[in-house]
Amino acid sequence: MPDLVAVIMAAGKGTRMRSKLPKVMHSLAGKPLIEHVLDVANQVGIERPFVIVGHGREAVAAKVQERAEIVVQTEQMGTGHAIMQALPYLEGAQTVLVLSGDQPLLKPESLQALLKLHQDGEACATVLTAYLDQPFGYGRVLKDGDQLVRIVEEKDATSDERLIKEINTGTYCFRGSALKDALAKITSKNAQGEYYLTDVFDIFLKQGERILTYCTEDSHEALGINSRSQLAEAERILRERNLEHWMAEGVTIVDPASTFIDIDVRLSQDVTILPFTRLLGNTKVQEDAVIGPQTTLENCEVGSGSEVTYTVAKNATIGVRCHIGPFAYLRPGTSLEADVKVGDFVEIKNSKIEAGAKVPHLSYIGDAQIGKSANIGAGTITCNYDGSSKHPTRIGDHTFIGSNTNLVAPVEVGDYAVTGAGSTITKNVPAEALAVERSQQIIKEQWQREKRNRGQK
Ligand code: UD1
Ligand code: CA
């Protein structure tokens, strides 16, 4: 048993969310609330916290089991009851850090400071508190001078107590053995009929134990998500924090108000993000790339110096110095090497496009491989689907595919081959060959004049 263990409470239903999804599974800046809390635990050096699951436990457990130990709380009888479920796993732990799964804005710096104060101060318990102008709904911290006396829940508080602005964030450090003993003594005699974890402080105090509080400077950290409105508020705060972070790292964000960057996105120095752009999931953008305006990239990689404008892309890789858009749609499995151009109204799916190739206008490329420096004419379509299955198209290096070519897959066009505009290619084209498939043009001389003359008779 390590000296320091963490328990994250995540079993509550989140009634106020009015959702079929368990509260901690709601998404914030691209990932569930619970994952934000796991991240902060990892950042203070706790590799595998315990997560208490209950409501919607299959979904929550499935999401976190790779990085946490699961503890089940079958019936949700309060935060004190939640921690009781974890006690058998905490045996022998010197320090128990308790976190709430609905408190995603907590910063690792604050958690580190809380732990340090707790350890240096040889406290029995240390509570992370915050001052809120509008403390409604939170447990209030009652103090005698600097000394915490009690934490009282909104629903149990007197009107005087409700005026107190120092609140309990729901994040604490405990001496493991003392926590276990105190939890055995708490009751559910309160307004909500629940076992409150916060009742252990009263017991500690009576035992003459040392209780400390650490107040965060950034009161946003205290935000516990109980409603959709608080979820939106957290999104706004985290977004601002994240945009400030990237600007400080050397990213130009022309209009922060219309830029949305998920928390796991990675950007390099001198990236420029133009207005109305969303970078989602695990998107990575390398140096000097310019993204936007009006672009959504989800789980994409963009190489340095590329420009991606008015584009939607998902699970796609874009190499260095590529030009994408305006109005391109890159679907999963798209992989573009260096110096590729994908122009307007082009859709690409599950295809590899090699260095220097161009698909400049109005094309559908699916299940294809396009060789180096190939030029794909306007309106080229890979006919990859025969109504029951998908087939591949292989287009060689330095090929020239004439405008409006249909490539009926499976089919291959060899290196340096050319297809005539308007051809429907159903057979493989050898390297260096020209393939034309179109009926002969007929000219009827004077046809229009004769028609007019007939009309005059
Ligand atoms: C709790 C605190 C309150 C504090 C606030 C901070 C108590 C009694 N109150 O109130 O002082 O100001 O957090 O946000 O602790 N949970 C379980 N099992 C349960 C009940 C809750 O795992 O039986 C989990 C929830 O999923 C949630 C967390 O514990 O992640 C907090 O529970 P919640 O019901 O939101 O507590 P609050 O009323 O917000
Ligand atoms: Ca809460």
Side-chain angles (χ1 to χ4, degrees):
M1 172 65 60
D3 281 352
L4 173 64
V5 297
V7 184
I8 303 174
M9 299 181 290
K13 180 170 193 297
T15 312
R16 289 162 282 181
M17 294 298 279
R18 305 188 70 136
S19 176
K20 20 183 201 315
L21 210 58
K23 176 163 79 172
V24 297
M25 290 297 286
H26 279 262
S27 179
L28 173 70
K31 61 181 172 190
L33 297 178
I34 183 71
E35 291 211 66
H36 289 267
V37 182
L38 283 167
D39 287 348
V40 86
N42 293 160
Q43 281 160 349
V44 299
I46 295 161
E47 272 173 33
R48 282 186 82 80
F50 293 91
V51 174
I52 300 177
V53 299
H55 185 82
R57 59 174 168 265
E58 291 80 13
V60 181
K63 191 81 217 172
V64 305
Q65 64 198 5
E66 269 177 26
R67 40 194 309 215
E69 301 295 334
I70 306 294
V71 177
V72 177
Q73 182 191 23
T74 318
E75 225 185 317
Q76 285 76 60
M77 292 160 68
T79 49
H81 182 258
I83 300 299
M84 287 176 206
Q85 312 312 304
L87 285 176
Y89 307 94
L90 307 178
E91 206 67 54
Q94 173 68 22
T95 305
V96 178
L97 179 64
V98 172
L99 304 165
S100 297
D102 66 348
Q103 201 201 341
L105 300 184
L106 185 64
K107 289 179 185 163
E109 300 88 289
S110 301
L111 206 49
Q112 201 69 66
L114 178 79
L115 278 164
K116 188 169 175 355
L117 179 68
H118 179 78
Q119 279 154 355
D120 293 354
E122 293 177 2
C124 172
T126 307
V127 185
L128 186 70
T129 71
Y131 275 93
L132 298 186
D133 281 337
Q134 293 180 336
F136 178 82
Y138 291 91
R140 306 299 204 284
V141 179
L142 273 58
K143 281 184 167 173
D144 180 3
D146 277 349
Q147 181 59 55
L148 179 145
V149 177
R150 199 156 63 90
I151 291 175
V152 60
E153 293 306 298
E154 173 85 31
K155 286 180 179 145
D156 301 293
T158 64
S159 51
D160 275 354
E161 288 167 342
R162 286 184 184 154
L163 296 175
I164 295 170
K165 295 196 165 172
E166 186 173 13
I167 62 103
N168 168 27
T169 65
T171 305
Y172 327 80
C173 292
F174 295 102
R175 192 197 307 137
S177 55
L179 177 65
K180 182 183 173 195
D181 294 344
L183 280 176
K185 295 178 186 153
I186 65 171
T187 70
S188 57
K189 289 184 202 128
N190 52 53
Q192 303 185 80
E194 289 183 355
Y195 292 92
Y196 292 164
L197 175 59
T198 45
D199 282 353
V200 298
F201 298 107
D202 194 37
I203 295 161
F204 291 153
L205 215 63
K206 284 184 182 137
Q207 292 170 345
E209 294 281 12
R210 195 168 152 78
I211 306 171
L212 299 176
T213 59
Y214 177 82
C215 185
T216 66
E217 270 168 39
D218 179 0
S219 62
H220 290 148
E221 286 184 75
L223 185 61
I225 312 296
N226 295 325
S227 65
R228 307 259 184 171
S229 165
Q230 285 170 322
L231 182 63
E233 194 185 343
E235 187 80 46
R236 180 182 61 74
I237 295 163
L238 196 53
R239 186 155 79 88
E240 269 172 25
R241 233 193 231 174
N242 197 27
L243 291 171
E244 285 299 330
H245 164 79
W246 288 120
M247 289 189 278
E249 292 285 310
V251 172
T252 292
I253 296 174
V254 173
D255 180 23
S258 69
T259 303
F260 298 79
I261 301 178
D262 277 354
I263 205 78
D264 287 338
V265 168
R266 293 293 168 259
L267 306 173
S268 298
Q269 212 176 313
D270 290 314
V271 163
T272 297
I273 302 176
L274 299 174
F276 301 102
T277 291
R278 298 159 70 224
L279 303 180
L280 309 177
N282 298 312
T283 294
K284 288 188 187 63
V285 183
Q286 303 296 340
E287 267 190 8
D288 302 317
V290 180
I291 313 293
Q294 210 107 30
T295 290
T296 296
L297 305 181
E298 184 175 353
N299 304 326
C300 289
E301 287 188 27
V302 181
S304 56
S306 285
E307 288 179 18
V308 185
T309 136
Y310 292 96
T311 286
V312 174
K314 184 173 180 177
N315 300 358
T317 305
I318 296 168
V320 300
R321 296 180 306 273
C322 289
H323 287 260
I324 313 299
F327 314 115
Y329 181 27
L330 307 182
R331 293 169 50 199
T334 294
S335 171
L336 312 179
E337 288 186 353
D339 302 295
V340 164
K341 178 179 168 62
V342 174
D344 50 284
F345 309 106
V346 172
E347 174 178 339
I348 301 182
K349 184 216 76 170
N350 187 35
S351 295
K352 181 179 181 198
I353 303 197
E354 293 175 5
K358 295 183 171 66
V359 192
H361 349 256
L362 302 156
S363 287
Y364 171 64
I365 305 297
D367 305 307
Q369 184 172 347
I370 296 181
K372 289 180 196 55
S373 302
N375 193 318
I376 309 298
T380 295
I381 305 291
T382 54
C383 309
N384 60 328
Y385 185 50
D386 59 14
S388 56
S389 40
K390 303 281 170 69
H391 302 282
T393 301
R394 169 85 179 95
I395 300 172
D397 297 349
H398 305 282
T399 47
F400 184 95
I401 305 298
S403 296
N404 241 25
T405 297
N406 297 314
L407 296 153
V408 181
V411 73
E412 286 188 29
V413 179
D415 294 349
Y416 291 97
V418 173
T419 68
S423 297
T424 294
I425 303 297
T426 53
K427 299 187 193 102
N428 290 349
V429 181
E432 315 267 354
L434 165 67
V436 190
E437 184 278 341
R438 68 171 93 105
S439 45
Q440 292 293 312
Q441 180 170 318
I442 298 167
I443 300 283
K444 297 194 172 177
E445 299 281 355
Q446 302 292 324
W447 182 81
Q448 185 69 328
R449 170 171 294 190
E450 284 166 12
K451 187 175 144 198
R452 235 183 6 251
N453 291 344
R454 276 197 304 276
Q456 276 163 2
K457 274 178 194 161

